[in-house]
Amino acid sequence: MEEKRVILDLNYCIGCQSCAAACWQGHHQQSRLSHGEVSGLAFLPLNCRQCEEPACVNACPTDALEKGEDGIVRRRALLCVGCRSCVYACPFGVMEGELIQHLTPNCDLCQDRVSRGEEPRCVATCVSGALRFVSLSEVYGEDKGDLQVGARVISRSLLKRS
Amino acid sequence: MGEMRRGICPFCCLQDGLRVEGGEFALIFGENSLLHLNYESGDKINEGSLCSRGNSVIDLLDHPQRLVAPLLQAKQADWKKVKRVIASKLGEGTYIFLGPNLTLEEAWLAKEFSRSMGSGGVVHLAPEDGEAFRVLRWLGLIGGPGMEEVEGSDFILLVGDAFMEHPVISQRVLRAKYRERKNRLFVLDSVRTKPTWFADHHLQPKPGTEGFVLAGLAKAIYRSKPSYLAPLFKEIELEGVAEIAGLDKGEIEEVASQLASARQGMVILSNLWGRVGPVGLAALFGSLLASISGGRFLHLPVYQNGFGTWLILGEGPSGAQLLDELGKVKGLFVIGFDLFSSLPGGTEDGILKKLDFLWATAVLPNRTTERAELALPAASGLEKGGNLLYLDGALRRMEPVLPPPGVAKAEGEIFQDIAGEGKLPPPNEDKLREAVKGEPLPEREIVQRAQALWEEELSKAPQENLPFWLIPSAHPAHLGDGSITGHLGWARKICAEPSIELSPLAAEKLKLEAGAKAVVSSPAGKETFTVTINERLKEDQATGPAHFPQLRRLFPWEVGRTLGELSLRPQRVRITKAKGD
């Protein structure tokens, strides 16, 4: 199966945090999706980018985090000691330091849902259609407008908003 | 995989479809079943999406604070005893007060129950929407456009902050805007909000004057048709409207002409706690504006079935009028909402003093059940079946996902049980359809009433000149008065305490930083809030989520003369630094 990522279309995000609420509800009240404010105007979700060479994995002292063959960074709950090394290492600041029991939050793109053919919770619940779950070829292929992959804004054209 | 059941989100008028599923290891729904929420991507209204409060709805099903047994003077009682108490006291001078989250059947049964028990009557209180319901009933506008029509529009005028009050509507609105380059989204709101970021133009009038601006827009494009409206528009002067709203006359004319030239224009009105000013005026001129320009008008009430419940009761006195004449009321039976969190102006003690008794049904404990002699456990929106009135005027059938916990019952069932077996047969769908059907009033009467409303609002005395406007705002994690969502985890996490937003300049002048405590005082009261900074606000604007009774208490109690409903609008307030902060 082709690798997929969550992308954000800036033209549609209204900053309502439905995605964060769905993530929190679906992961035993742990936020795995942070938000960032832009100039007091926009409030945008910062999804994990599932980096090609994830700094969080390298920083983990107990090898609790690993990147699977499907490109998804997963955390093994029994090995995580909640030291937050991954949180500090993340260059995009998308991991939050809130511990539930001893676990640091880590987005695995809702593998419980994806394995059943469903979209991650943040995408399924998105009220404005701003978050989409698309294949890597679509992300890095032709110009699809203003996309944000995880925390990085891919801006090939000016924002359409006036 | 466990079992899956379809439900309807009880947390706003959009009635979004959702799914509740049993846990992976659960064979059936039941006490040991782990339930989780899933998204109903096939639903024609929301296509699976749910706002943050919709995502919390599952918390209601097994909430540890649920009322699961009747409480008589705070002690657990059985239904038999409850029935005896109710039957012995319900009679003349006692009134049934209906909340907005009931099914059409339940509203119908409430009327029949009142008749069979000989109570004084049934009333309905919808602080945010009551005025709009009355006006739409005059005009016979029971059904508005559906979601497909919103998406098909080429010009949308958003009045108020629909994106935060009803986030799921944003998908349709933004799709309409981006479908073709020439499509336009205009916003009419006194505050720069999230929708204004997407807007092609933001009409920013003085707080609470949105209804006047809509009248001005309608006047600007009214020529001679329909002719029966000529006497009304003769009274409206564009210059006067521009002055009231603090806008340029040319700006109003330009926006009106763009709406008039749209192929399919749409005016969408949403209002929380008087945010857009007198909502009756906004609904009247919003709908007339849409009709004159050949477009459609969509009113988004706060609650799931508020309009349906109101229509079943008919055009009787409002709950606000009843509370105004409390001298003749002996007792209140409050059904399915928190009366005391819903009211302005610290009216709670005054009401309690005049009552012999107060009973309430509720899903979760609230300020009303805490003060009630009798608190009855009710079913949540996912635990009962029945019909709802949808925005397009059609009936929508809702099936229960689960039975209610303990001995809790749906309100309709409570009425039937107390009245006695077989005495209150539920209505069939034809009867309900007939009851919510709307015929407009004769044209002459519409104009007379509209003129009276216009004159009343024009004559309202300007408020005391305090330095700030307090403009209620919506928070997507909360619903209405917050009495239910305030118990739910996500809302408690991100919007737990009442806050007031100030512009950076105002905060600097008041020497207040984010997180500091500020005292906000209005002629109606004084409350303390935590300060947050909002760069989008003007210097004299302050906003705060309307889901907290602390904010609601700063608004005065006022019942409109023409509409007889609670009349709310942004308030002038004074803000000072709290002592010791």
Side-chain angles (χ1 to χ4, degrees), chain B residues 244-287:
Chain B
I244 290 169
L247 293 174
D248 182 58
K249 184 184 158 206
E251 188 183 7
I252 296 175
E253 285 172 328
E254 172 60 25
V255 171
S257 81
Q258 288 212 29
L259 177 59
S261 62
R263 181 184 47 79
Q264 187 179 326
M266 176 88 54
V267 179
I268 300 178
L269 169 67
S270 74
N271 169 54
L272 187 67
W273 200 246
R275 177 191 172 80
V276 300
V279 70
L281 196 70
L284 173 67
F285 286 103
S287 53

Side-chain angles (χ1 to χ4, degrees), chain B residues 252-394:
Chain B
I252 296 175
E253 285 172 328
E254 172 60 25
V255 171
S257 81
Q258 288 212 29
L259 177 59
S261 62
R263 181 184 47 79
Q264 187 179 326
M266 176 88 54
V267 179
I268 300 178
L269 169 67
S270 74
N271 169 54
L272 187 67
W273 200 246
R275 177 191 172 80
V276 300
V279 70
L281 196 70
L284 173 67
F285 286 103
S287 53
L288 292 182
L289 171 66
S291 116
I292 293 167
S293 63
R296 301 295 309 272
F297 176 70
L298 177 62
H299 172 232
L300 297 173
V302 172
Y303 292 98
Q304 186 195 40
N305 195 33
F307 198 19
T309 309
W310 191 90
L311 286 167
I312 293 279
L313 297 190
E315 243 188 310
S318 73
Q321 282 172 317
L322 181 76
L323 291 176
D324 247 3
E325 300 164 7
L326 267 180
K328 63 180 184 186
V329 179
K330 285 187 206 156
L332 285 183
F333 191 6
V334 179
I335 307 297
F337 79 115
D338 184 0
L339 176 67
F340 293 138
S341 291
S342 300
L343 296 176
T347 37
E348 190 171 323
D349 290 340
I351 292 171
L352 282 171
K353 263 183 217 161
K354 290 180 183 165
L355 292 178
D356 288 350
F357 66 87
L358 172 73
W359 306 327
T361 70
V363 173
L364 290 163
N366 57 42
R367 290 166 68 84
T368 308
T369 58
E370 279 163 15
R371 286 151 186 80
E373 174 194 354
L374 195 57
L376 305 179
S380 77
L382 290 180
E383 296 158 347
K384 59 186 174 187
N387 281 286
L388 308 168
L389 182 70
Y390 187 57
L391 296 170
D392 62 3

